[in-house]
Amino acid sequence: MSLMIQDFSVVYRDGDHSIQAVEEATLAVKEGECLALVGESGSGKTSLGKACLGLLPQNAETTGRILLNDRYMDFSNDMALNAIRWQKIAMVFQNGAETLNPSYRIIDQVAEPVMKLAGRSRKEALHRASRALLEMGLPENCYRHYPHQLSGGQVQRSLLAMATILDPDILILDEPTSALDALNKGFVSDIIEDYKQRGKGVLLITHDLAFAVAHGDEMAVLYLGQVMETLPAREMFSNPLHPYTLALGRSYPTMGTARELGGIRGDAFYRLVHQHGRGDAAQYHHSHIQIPESAHMDGHAPPVGCLFQGRCTQTIEACRTGIVTLETVAHHRVRCLRRGIVSILSLQGISKRYDEKTALHPTDLVLKAGDLLSLVGETGSGKTTLAMIAAGVLAQDRGSRILEDRDMDEWLKKDVRSMARKVGVVYQNPAASISHRFTVLDAVAEPLAIHGLGLGKDERKEMVKSVLVDVHLSTDDTFLGRYPHELNMGALQRVCIARALILTPSLLIADEPTSALDPSVQAKVLKLLLDLQTERGLTMLFVSHDIALARKISDRMGIMLSGYLVELGRASRIISNPVHPYTKMLLEGAGGNRQQGWKVPPDGEPSKGCPFFPRCPKGKNICQEEFPSIHKSEHGWVACHFVDV
Amino acid sequence: MQGGAKEKRFFRSDLGLVATFCLAALVMSWISYALPRFLPGDFVTATYGASQVTLTAQEEAALRADQEPQGGFGHYLWRLARFDWGYSYVFNTPVSVLFLGALPWTLLLMGSAHIISMVIGFVAGVEAAWRRNSAIEKGMVGGMTVLEGIPEICTGVILLFVFALQLQWFPTAGAETAYGEPGFLGHMADVVRHLALPLGTLVLAYFPGNFLLTRNSMVMVIMADYINTARAKGLPPLRIRYVHAARNALLPVVNRFGIRLAFMITGALVVERINSYPGVGTLLYNAIAARDLPVIQMVVLMSSLIILAVFFALEWAYRIIDPRIRHAR
């Protein structure tokens, strides 16, 4: 019992133009498995679902094939299709009550397939229908109701009862949970699990990523009709390879996410396929993303390049011109020329000593494009040292740094300026980081001057203005002429951020950027940083001693202690399930609780063993003897002897 | 069960409905009772004004006294209930006899015209909507739009000219042949032959509207999500078309049917005149021409009461057709 979709495309004809809804999708609903289709509205999910039942409207043209139980489905033969519909493949449509006929009682609609398709008597059909409704947990006095009398949840139950009444081989669920609260989702879960267990296939189309992860085996991420990535569903949040999958996950609220929701910059438009009119040299069919307002008459891009390029945060020149195919990367299939999310910065075995004191023990750290990593820890734990090494401001004693696939140290030697352009830095104290003799214009434009980009005065001013708009500051001449002491701290910090951004760096390092600000200003600045991450795809390294603050903006978090990175992982995991006792202590401290076993950190550091030992409530002898080995887990690690405790 | 409470609530709301209609009927009756007092012109002037007979003042007073409305509103209602609707000045016959004599012909004509045009219009509309954007459908919509624009007075005259005067297939006037063929079947055939032309005219006048309305309503219904569900269920096309779609497209058509029924009597006026069909329309026309006040009064009152009754019946029909109305409060 399987459903194979092979090279399937759907194009909706609309006058001269056509809209490409699905493009060469190859997907499989395997026996006993649930395939989850996710993606934004308009990505072609529902078109694909309807296509499996031959329900596309008349203006739809399809190519490719669909195999049900290894046999090709013949969409031109209505009789053959009717033999498959509902008996082999049934679907629960989205939009709830609108998919039920308003003029008939619920039970009659549920019983209809039994009567008309299975050819049973009305009495038996009604009996079976009422049993099915009962199994769905619909109260008995609702059976004879009309659709408009039911609540959204009851409608969804009825739809499921109707879809499962002939026990089809393949069940297609289109947004089955959108009308349901968290408690009512349970019965949908039960059906999916039941179908999987009995070796049937489920195609789950949903926005509900958490639900998809919970019940999907395989997941396909669709964007503008293209399959962008296929991956095991459970890796949706933890290991997305395509930037779109990452952005999608970041837009979705789960109970685990602590940070503010991100989003995906720009909007998904639709794809037009069309032929140029008479007298046009380029008279060929091609597709491109259509922005509704823009006329397509002008010279637009030919049908190459990645569809996601306009919204992607790691677009390179090749993305605009290259041909992007679905390729196997690790155990995923990814449609990305850069083979998934690239790593911007990679630090390996970085260590640093200041005279006698070891500021940083050998540490590895990788930042992927669009990642926002917070380094959290108490004062003197090495956060700033690590950040400054990452920024290229400070040199490490040992280890290597790789920025955008180039060895940073070599790059620094050869061409400091071009390297420095890649990294923007925002410092803790905005007042101190801007010369008091500089106006706003001077301060923000300074990097342009330093890097000698040879721009005219007016051009510079325009660039300054545009970056000030990005950080939500005024652009009028009075503001541009202000001096630092005339501005409040929030505005000043935003000027600093603008200064860091004017060279469009790919990595932004912010060292306690908000600690000098009051809470309301701080909130604005943090929101700004998140917006910048969404809009510019900035990779950010955020240094803070405040874990409560970091949790609101971080994708990942690194916990630092005495020059060690003792715990690293997804921010949501660290917040909800901290492993290292030090992390727990930081979290409790952030909650305002007085910690048990809190002792003043000793002045001298132990030469060996765990640096947290003197304060650790779990400390044993072994902690004193040797530094704990690193336990790798879920894209992070923990350095503690008692990980399992 | 909650059913009981619901039934009771229905009952109460129905009572309200009945009361409303009764009140409306009373108001109508009062207007028809009061109306003659405000109307300009009277029977005496209309009859003798242009004639060579000169009435003495005494005769005129006697005639007028004869026509003076008697008794109050209560008395008037009592007379209505007893079918004592007064005497026609012109025919010198009780109005009730005139009215009840004309009513069956109008009912026959209008009833059959409405039913036939509705059935044909509905089925054609459903089928056309199903074949949307085909050449047949486009042609039908165009043709029907044109036909809808031709007034019935026009089609009536043309039909009369072609089929009665030129081809002589059908009689030109009347509802039956006086002293016609004996026997039930022969009589029926005669009635149908007389009915054909006015009926044809009315069907041609009403059917395009029903067609267009059904088609438009059906086109919307076909796009509804539940039709997609019905298709997904693998049901036979005829069932999807009629059981699932047409049922929901029915409402506006029934609505129009009801509104048309309300014009049953006045709507027949033109056609009945063209074909000299002895229905209520003809009766009213003649009465107006002769200022035959009691007849006008009763025809108007009875038409309005029939309209009320039809609306009342429609209210019930809607509830059966569309359950959503039943539960709307």
Side-chain angles (χ1 to χ4, degrees):
Chain A
M1 299 186 203
S2 63
L3 188 72
M4 304 280 181
I5 299 167
Q6 291 180 343
D7 295 325
F8 201 81
S9 301
V10 180
V11 171
Y12 292 112
R13 260 185 304 107
D14 180 18
D16 304 340
H17 295 72
S18 302
I19 292 170
Q20 182 106 39
V22 179
E23 185 186 335
E24 293 182 1
T26 299
L27 298 165
V29 181
K30 294 183 198 122
E31 192 169 318
E33 281 195 5
C34 170
L35 172 70
L37 278 185
V38 301
E40 288 167 289
S41 319
S43 57
K45 308 186 297 286
T46 300
S47 288
L48 210 48
K50 282 186 175 171
C52 298
L53 277 165
L55 289 176
L56 292 172
Q58 281 182 346
N59 66 342
E61 282 170 3
T62 62
T63 55
R65 297 178 294 193
I66 297 181
L67 286 87
L68 173 68
N69 299 337
D70 302 323
R71 285 176 57 189
Y72 290 113
M73 288 177 68
D74 180 7
F75 291 107
S76 59
N77 184 347
D78 236 24
M79 291 286 279
L81 267 183
N82 275 350
I84 289 173
R85 285 171 176 162
W86 228 252
Q87 306 187 54
K88 302 279 182 206
I89 308 178
M91 183 163 178
V92 173
F93 296 94
Q94 59 179 344
N95 293 346
E98 280 164 41
T99 61
L100 286 168
N101 196 321
S103 307
Y104 295 97
R105 297 177 194 281
I106 291 298
I107 191 163
D108 290 330
Q109 298 192 49
V110 175
E112 190 181 27
V114 184
M115 263 189 294
K116 296 297 160 191
L117 303 181
R120 300 302 162 87
S121 71
R122 179 175 165 78
K123 198 179 155 203
E124 191 191 333
L126 286 178
H127 177 69
R128 272 176 63 176
S130 64
R131 211 175 51 202
L133 287 169
L134 186 74
E135 273 172 21
M136 285 306 145
L138 203 71
E140 204 160 335
N141 56 8
C142 290
Y143 296 177
R144 288 179 55 74
H145 278 6
Y146 291 91
H148 65 273
Q149 292 172 286
L150 301 184
S151 71
Q154 288 170 334
V155 165
Q156 204 64 37
R157 286 162 196 269
S158 316
L159 285 172
L160 270 163
M162 192 162 85
T164 53
I165 192 140
L166 295 180
D167 199 22
D169 293 348
I170 304 289
L171 186 62
I172 303 176
L173 302 171
D174 193 357
E175 302 292 355
T177 57
S178 57
L180 300 174
D181 56 83
L183 299 178
N184 275 304
K185 281 177 192 172
F187 72 90
V188 187
S189 311
D190 290 349
I191 289 187
I192 295 176
E193 293 306 325
D194 174 55
Y195 267 65
K196 277 160 70 172
Q197 210 161 47
R198 290 193 290 133
K200 293 169 183 262
V202 178
L203 178 62
L204 174 67
I205 299 167
T206 188
H207 293 301
D208 190 339
L209 297 179
F211 193 77
V213 168
H215 298 288
D217 294 290
E218 191 74 8
M219 180 180 277
V221 182
L222 259 69
Y223 181 73
L224 293 180
Q226 278 185 348
V227 177
M228 283 293 168
E229 181 171 2
T230 60
L231 67 166
R234 61 176 188 284
E235 293 187 13
M236 163 81 209
F237 291 112
S238 56
N239 187 24
L241 285 188
H242 197 283
Y244 181 61
T245 316
L246 172 75
L248 206 58
R250 201 178 266 166
S251 313
Y252 186 79
T254 61
M255 283 314 286
T257 16
R259 60 162 277 172
E260 302 292 328
L261 293 179
I264 308 177
R265 68 167 170 173
D267 283 303
F269 298 111
Y270 48 90
R271 293 171 68 195
L272 294 182
V273 185
H274 68 111
Q275 190 162 25
H276 280 273
R278 285 175 299 279
D280 196 326
Q283 213 173 36
Y284 58 97
H285 274 285
H286 65 268
S287 80
H288 59 103
I289 301 173
Q290 177 75 1
I291 300 164
E293 313 67 88
S294 82
H296 72 279
M297 280 89 90
D298 52 33
H300 51 247
V304 288
C306 174
L307 287 178
F308 192 55
Q309 53 171 291
R311 305 175 72 193
C312 187
T313 53
Q314 57 173 37
T315 310
I316 54 170
E317 204 42 46
C319 299
R320 299 186 209 288
T321 51
I323 292 160
V324 201
T325 51
L326 211 54
E327 278 177 69
T328 308
V329 179
H331 48 295
H332 298 202
R333 281 190 301 155
V334 182
R335 191 186 294 271
C336 181
L337 278 177
R338 311 194 67 182
R339 298 178 69 79
I341 303 163
V342 293
S343 67
I344 293 285
L345 178 73
S346 163
L347 303 178
Q348 248 145 26
I350 296 288
S351 66
K352 179 78 182 171
R353 280 184 78 84
Y354 297 116
D355 299 332
E356 290 304 302
K357 189 178 181 324
T358 306
L360 194 62
H361 293 275
T363 302
D364 297 346
L365 192 64
V366 174
L367 276 176
K368 285 193 160 189
D371 201 1
L372 202 164
L373 176 85
S374 292
L375 290 177
V376 183
E378 55 195 357
T379 18
S381 58
K383 309 186 295 279
T384 303
T385 305
L386 180 55
M388 289 304 128
I389 289 172
V393 175
L394 212 61
Q396 75 278 25
D397 294 342
R398 287 211 184 78
S400 64
R401 303 181 275 188
I402 293 167
L403 180 70
E404 289 198 335
D405 297 331
R406 281 179 70 172
D407 187 306
M408 205 176 186
D409 295 292
E410 241 171 68
W411 196 349
L412 277 170
K413 259 179 235 152
K414 265 191 198 153
D415 185 3
V416 186
R417 284 181 179 176
S418 72
M419 208 293 315
R421 242 174 268 158
K422 292 286 174 189
V423 186
V425 185
V426 178
Y427 298 94
Q428 183 167 0
N429 189 342
S433 67
I434 297 179
S435 165
H436 62 275
R437 288 190 191 85
F438 277 11
T439 61
V440 169
L441 177 64
D442 295 336
V444 179
E446 194 190 9
L448 294 175
I450 292 173
H451 286 270
L453 293 177
L455 297 168
K457 205 178 159 195
D458 292 339
E459 264 175 308
R460 267 188 214 174
K461 198 165 172 181
E462 281 313 305
M463 283 183 75
V464 169
K465 280 185 178 177
S466 88
V467 77
L468 285 179
V469 168
D470 282 356
V471 298
H472 311 310
L473 281 174
S474 160
T475 56
D476 58 34
D477 285 338
T478 4
F479 184 80
L480 289 176
R482 289 252 156 94
Y483 285 93
H485 67 269
E486 293 178 279
L487 301 176
N488 65 37
M489 290 296 254
L492 212 50
Q493 190 60 297
R494 277 185 274 177
V495 169
C496 289
I497 294 172
R499 182 178 60 179
L501 291 179
I502 197 158
L503 295 173
T504 55
S506 51
L507 176 65
L508 182 73
I509 292 176
D511 185 7
E512 305 267 13
T514 61
S515 58
L517 309 178
D518 70 65
S520 77
V521 177
Q522 166 174 298
K524 277 186 193 152
V525 171
L526 289 181
K527 225 174 140 45
L528 171 68
L529 287 177
L530 279 178
D531 285 349
L532 288 171
Q533 185 200 22
T534 303
E535 288 302 319
R536 294 192 168 212
L538 270 183
T539 311
M540 265 187 260
L541 187 61
F542 184 84
V543 176
S544 175
H545 59 266
D546 187 347
I547 200 167
L549 183 82
R551 78 188 274 262
K552 299 303 282 182
I553 61 169
S554 315
D555 297 303
R556 291 193 302 149
M557 233 185 241
I559 309 293
M560 293 209 64
L561 168 70
S562 307
Y564 292 102
L565 194 55
V566 290
E567 185 164 359
L568 180 74
R570 283 178 61 213
S572 55
R573 201 272 297 155
I574 288 188
I575 296 298
S576 59
N577 186 22
V579 177
H580 201 283
Y582 174 62
T583 312
K584 286 179 188 165
M585 187 174 280
L586 283 176
L587 277 168
E588 280 168 20
N593 299 334
R594 274 192 56 164
Q595 283 85 37
Q596 296 292 313
W598 180 267
K599 292 166 199 156
V600 181
D603 232 12
E605 55 183 301
S607 54
K608 55 180 181 174
C610 178
F612 194 53
F613 170 72
R615 289 182 280 163
C616 186
K618 285 179 184 157
K620 297 258 169 66
N621 278 345
I622 185 172
C623 301
Q624 212 171 356
E625 294 304 318
E626 55 185 280
F627 186 80
S629 56
I630 283 170
H631 295 259
K632 292 220 171 208
S633 69
E634 206 207 344
H635 312 289
W637 69 72
V638 180
C640 180
H641 286 292
F642 304 104
V643 169
D644 306 322
V645 180
Chain B
M1 253 183 69
Q2 64 183 135
K6 218 165 240 175
E7 296 299 328
K8 204 173 265 175
R9 204 153 51 218
F10 276 166
F11 183 62
R12 210 180 299 150
S13 81
D14 292 346
L15 217 60
L17 194 67
V18 173
T20 311
F21 276 102
C22 285
L23 192 71
L26 264 178
V27 171
M28 294 284 189
S29 309
W30 187 83
I31 291 174
S32 95
Y33 159 76
L35 210 56
R37 286 147 222 265
F38 306 123
L39 277 183
D42 67 357
F43 170 73
V44 178
T45 323
T47 314
Y48 297 99
S51 93
Q52 286 165 352
V53 181
T54 323
L55 295 173
T56 63
Q58 216 172 12
E59 280 170 323
E60 200 179 320
L63 266 174
R64 283 197 198 285
D66 203 30
Q67 295 160 26
E68 273 306 301
Q70 289 155 1
F73 183 53
H75 182 68
Y76 181 76
L77 287 182
W78 175 237
R79 277 176 49 211
L80 279 184
R82 283 188 301 143
F83 284 89
D84 176 9
W85 296 348
Y87 263 71
S88 160
Y89 307 150
V90 179
F91 298 101
N92 216 15
T93 319
V95 175
S96 53
V97 172
L98 287 175
F99 185 77
L100 295 179
L103 189 62
W105 294 119
T106 296
L107 285 181
L108 175 67
L109 174 62
M110 297 305 282
S112 48
H114 275 303
I115 289 168
I116 290 173
S117 64
M118 183 168 153
V119 170
I120 299 177
F122 189 70
V123 172
V126 167
E127 295 299 324
W130 201 255
R131 290 165 180 72
R132 203 179 165 196
N133 289 334
S134 67
I136 298 176
E137 190 254 4
K138 282 180 181 158
M140 274 174 95
V141 171
M144 292 301 166
T145 312
V146 171
L147 208 55
E148 170 81 348
I150 300 175
E152 59 202 48
I153 189 163
C154 208
T155 41
V157 170
I158 291 170
L159 287 185
L160 189 73
F161 180 75
V162 174
F163 292 102
L165 298 179
Q166 296 293 315
L167 298 171
Q168 303 208 335
W169 290 355
F170 301 106
T172 53
E176 56 192 335
T177 313
Y179 318 111
E181 293 171 48
F184 181 72
L185 280 180
H187 183 67
M188 285 312 286
D190 186 47
V191 166
V192 169
R193 248 165 44 81
H194 280 86
L195 189 64
L197 274 186
L199 181 63
T201 308
L202 286 177
V203 167
L204 278 183
Y206 295 163
F207 148 70
N210 285 332
F211 167 83
L212 292 172
L213 198 65
T214 310
R215 181 211 160 258
N216 288 352
S217 157
M218 186 71 179
V219 162
M220 296 307 292
V221 167
I222 286 174
M223 290 192 289
D225 286 340
Y226 55 82
I227 299 305
N228 212 28
T229 309
R231 283 176 63 208
K233 278 172 160 180
L235 299 171
L238 215 60
R239 187 172 170 86
I240 299 177
R241 214 176 309 167
Y242 283 94
V243 176
H244 281 274
R247 162 98 189 241
N248 288 294
L250 198 57
L251 199 64
V253 184
V254 173
N255 207 341
R256 178 185 149 99
F257 181 72
I259 292 170
R260 281 289 168 146
L261 269 190
F263 296 111
M264 184 131 174
I265 288 158
T266 43
L269 205 136
V270 171
V271 174
E272 285 187 4
R273 280 302 301 155
I274 293 171
N275 294 286
S276 306
Y277 203 74
V280 178
T282 305
L283 181 67
L284 182 63
Y285 179 87
N286 292 335
I288 291 171
R291 300 290 191 281
D292 195 348
L293 199 66
V295 177
I296 300 174
Q297 198 181 7
M298 277 311 134
V299 171
V300 170
L301 177 60
M302 287 306 141
S303 319
S304 47
L305 289 183
I306 287 172
I307 292 174
L308 270 182
V310 166
F311 281 157
F312 185 70
L314 272 181
E315 197 65 31
W316 280 100
Y318 290 154
R319 289 166 181 227
I320 292 164
I321 293 170
D322 191 342
R324 280 171 294 188
I325 292 177
R326 204 180 311 164
H327 302 113
R329 268 185 271 282

